[in-house]
Amino acid sequence: MQENIKETVQITGKGKTKQHAINAALGQVQKQVMTKYPNAMILRIEPRDVSILTATEKRYKETFMFFLFPRIRQEFEVKLEIALDLAVMHIEKVNFTVEDNTKNKLMKKLAKG
């Protein structure tokens, strides 16, 4: 039933601080795993290794009415590659039994045909 899989995902995140950028990226791990395994139940996602591919800081100057109140704004972007250990249960392999709980005898006869 349960299968252990080793997977690698690449994710990106943006934010106004370094922490927000990394948190935004890490929040995408489950979404990417779910899209890769749509017919499976993900039981556990465990990171093995995290490597930073790119980390950039973008700065730009912002002013009010072209020259008043200048300030420097920052935006951080990070691209990560994460090696994962997944515990997956494939839903197709689960055998369900069918129980007929129809109480009305007439409904049972109609259901049989």
Side-chain angles (χ1 to χ4, degrees):
M1 285 286 188
Q2 181 178 338
E3 180 182 357
N4 294 323
I5 302 171
K6 295 188 184 298
E7 185 70 44
T8 303
V9 294
Q10 288 186 359
I11 51 177
T12 59
K14 292 182 181 181
K16 292 185 178 185
T17 65
K18 294 175 185 177
Q19 291 84 5
H20 285 150
I22 293 172
N23 283 338
L26 292 176
Q28 295 178 7
V29 171
Q30 184 179 5
K31 293 175 189 173
Q32 275 206 4
V33 170
M34 294 293 283
T35 57
K36 284 188 178 183
Y37 300 99
N39 294 328
M41 175 67 82
I42 308 297
L43 300 175
R44 183 179 65 237
I45 301 173
E46 186 176 327
R48 281 185 291 129
D49 185 34
V50 178
S51 60
I52 298 173
L53 300 177
T54 60
T56 58
E57 176 184 354
K58 296 178 184 176
R59 293 183 183 177
Y60 56 95
K61 191 174 185 178
E62 198 177 68
T63 58
F64 176 71
M65 299 276 288
F66 301 108
F67 61 92
L68 298 173
F69 310 116
R71 64 179 176 177
I72 305 268
R73 301 292 295 242
Q74 298 171 331
E75 185 178 76
F76 296 91
E77 184 175 355
V78 65
K79 185 173 184 179
L80 304 173
E81 183 175 66
I82 302 178
L84 302 170
D85 285 332
L86 303 175
V88 177
M89 182 174 68
H90 295 283
I91 298 172
E92 303 91 32
K93 295 180 181 177
V94 177
N95 295 325
F96 288 94
T97 58
V98 178
E99 294 180 5
D100 187 13
N101 291 331
T102 308
K103 293 182 180 179
N104 191 344
K105 292 181 182 180
L106 178 62
M107 293 301 290
K108 282 185 182 179
K109 288 181 183 179
L110 291 175
K112 287 182 182 179

